[in-house]
Amino acid sequence: MDLQQIRKDFPILNQQVNGKPLVYLDNAATTQKPLAVIQRISDYYLKENSNVHRGVHHLSQVATEAYENARGYIAKYIHAEESNEIIFTRGTTESINLLANVLSPWIQAGDEIIISGMEHHSNLVPWQQLCERNKARLKVLPVDLDGTLDLNFLEKMLTPQVKLLAIAHISNVLGTVNPVKEIVRIAHNKGVPVLLDGAQGIAHAKVDVQDLGVDFYAFSGHKIYAPMGIGVLYGRFTWLRRLPPYQFGGEMIDQVSFEKTTFNELPYKYEAGTPNVAGALGLEAALHYVQKTGVDDIFNHEDKLLKYATEKLENIDGMRIIGHAKEKAAVLSFLVNGLHPFDLGTLLDQMGIAVRTGHHCAQPLMDFYGIPGTVRASFAMYNTLEEVDIFVDAVKKAVGMLQ
Ligand code: 7TS
């Protein structure tokens, strides 16, 4: 992996913040975009822009072909059986809301949905609200103090009432890589379908939906170097075919009269209105960039950064790292003594370092640890060991100033 070239591909990294070179360690919130992605979006608007699926004219055909090719590329990237299983959405949040919406008729009073104690609010609130509406019950698979899930307990929770298991592939707070293949196997043994929240998983793990055996997989483009406002809900064809539509309007129909409407086939049934074509092309370009760079090399590099940063941080007095799972990816949450994460984050920003502070949209997880929030550094392919050194020195300095 040519790190120097990679950094050149992400021009935003080359800037000063508060008089210091930017060290961008907020990649779990969003990643930066390489020139290949920016150029693809720009090319689309410069040369190809047109509404898709509607026109006989040249540009409409060019745009439609590009959009559908992007769908095909993404299907291959996550090894979906067919491209009809790729529904374009705004991102993980919309993907999960879509699913919660269309599964609603299937969830009856007394049914149960299982999530885990480490979920992002996006994979919690939609299920909680659905349960409330349908008088179903939300059950929570507990997290151990080290940040892992107890699979023996999961077996016990999978009662006949359970209709869905919705779980993070990788935690955005703890970095835990959940044993999702095993989780899917356990759930399927009891006949329970599984949604994986892949917001972090898509960028830091290999995603092969057929190998995982998963029923639904949700992710956001912007976490994997693609633009904001584009994401995917993967759903197995046998599921999506049976489920009702989500939003209604243009594109998703077959025949409309004032008396009755019949719906379009997959995937269009789930894509009402004009889609984010540029976003889909940007996502294709981003995945292509990742593939070209080398997925294994990227993951090895991120792992090296994570281990190096963990080792160095652990040497700081009063350091408490939150999340010690054996399988951990690219995310490092911590607290120092009684210092408030916000104060630490603010001082780090003054030194040019972008980290995230707060509850990271996982308030129940913070309650479990009895903490107000954490400081979180999260890594991407373009981060360097030198940046980790700068970051750790800055943490030491900030702690010194605050104590
Ligand atoms: N699920 C997980 C595990 C996430 O990390 C996020 C975003 C989402 C769902 C929602 O994704 P969205 O693209 O629809 O917003 N996580 C974060 C974060 O950790 N800091 O900012 C956003």
Side-chain angles (χ1 to χ4, degrees), residues 28-29 91-93 120 122 170 172 197 199-200 220 222-223 356 360 376:
T92 309
T93 303
H120 186 282
S122 287
I170 295 179
N172 67 314
D197 170 352
Q200 303 297 334
S220 305
H222 73 95
K223 310 264 190 203
R356 187 140 300 234
H360 314 296
R376 183 189 69 185

Side-chain angles (χ1 to χ4, degrees), residues 105-121:
W106 195 58
I107 306 291
Q108 309 292 324
D111 284 348
E112 298 176 345
I113 292 173
I114 300 179
I115 59 168
S116 89
M118 65 171 77
E119 298 311 313
H120 186 282
H121 296 162

Side-chain angles (χ1 to χ4, degrees), residues 185-329:
R185 195 188 59 77
I186 292 170
H188 281 183
N189 269 345
K190 303 272 175 94
V192 174
V194 181
L195 157 73
L196 292 178
D197 170 352
Q200 303 297 334
I202 192 69
H204 306 294
K206 277 190 182 155
V207 179
D208 178 329
V209 288
Q210 290 188 71
D211 181 54
L212 292 173
V214 73
D215 301 274
F216 304 100
Y217 196 94
F219 67 90
S220 305
H222 73 95
K223 310 264 190 203
I224 183 158
Y225 314 105
M228 291 180 177
I230 188 75
V232 165
L233 176 66
Y234 157 82
R236 261 208 262 158
F237 184 78
T238 43
W239 269 109
L240 294 179
R241 196 193 45 184
R242 282 192 283 156
L243 292 171
Y246 168 48
Q247 293 179 330
F248 301 90
E251 284 292 297
M252 55 76 65
I253 53 92
D254 174 30
Q255 294 289 328
V256 179
S257 71
F258 285 122
E259 287 73 37
K260 187 179 162 58
T261 295
T262 54
F263 305 121
N264 203 342
E265 58 196 20
L266 285 174
Y268 313 112
K269 181 171 95 175
Y270 288 111
E271 293 183 4
T274 299
N276 179 358
V277 178
L281 305 188
L283 176 53
E284 179 188 17
L287 296 179
H288 188 256
Y289 183 85
V290 167
Q291 229 158 19
K292 195 186 76 183
T293 307
V295 176
D296 288 323
D297 286 351
I298 293 171
F299 294 168
N300 286 338
H301 176 65
E302 288 176 352
D303 193 50
K304 204 159 77 181
L305 294 170
L306 179 70
K307 294 210 164 103
Y308 183 61
T310 305
E311 223 178 274
K312 288 198 84 173
L313 277 189
E314 273 170 343
N315 287 329
I316 297 176
D317 266 358
M319 175 61 58
R320 179 180 173 197
I321 289 173
I322 311 288
H324 289 97
K326 247 198 231 131
E327 296 294 326
K328 198 173 158 175

Side-chain angles (χ1 to χ4, degrees), residues 43-76:
D43 277 353
Y44 170 71
Y45 283 119
L46 286 169
K47 297 178 208 154
E48 296 158 274
N49 177 53
S50 178
N51 212 328
V52 289
H53 302 138
R54 296 176 193 201
V56 289
H57 66 79
H58 173 75
L59 280 185
S60 180
Q61 285 175 13
V62 168
T64 302
E65 201 178 313
Y67 182 63
E68 291 306 329
N69 283 345
R71 194 193 306 277
Y73 189 85
I74 293 158
K76 281 208 192 85

Side-chain angles (χ1 to χ4, degrees), residues 308 312 384-395:
Y308 183 61
K312 288 198 84 173
T384 65
L385 291 170
E386 292 72 38
E387 285 183 312
V388 173
D389 288 335
I390 295 169
F391 159 65
V392 175
D393 285 345
V395 172

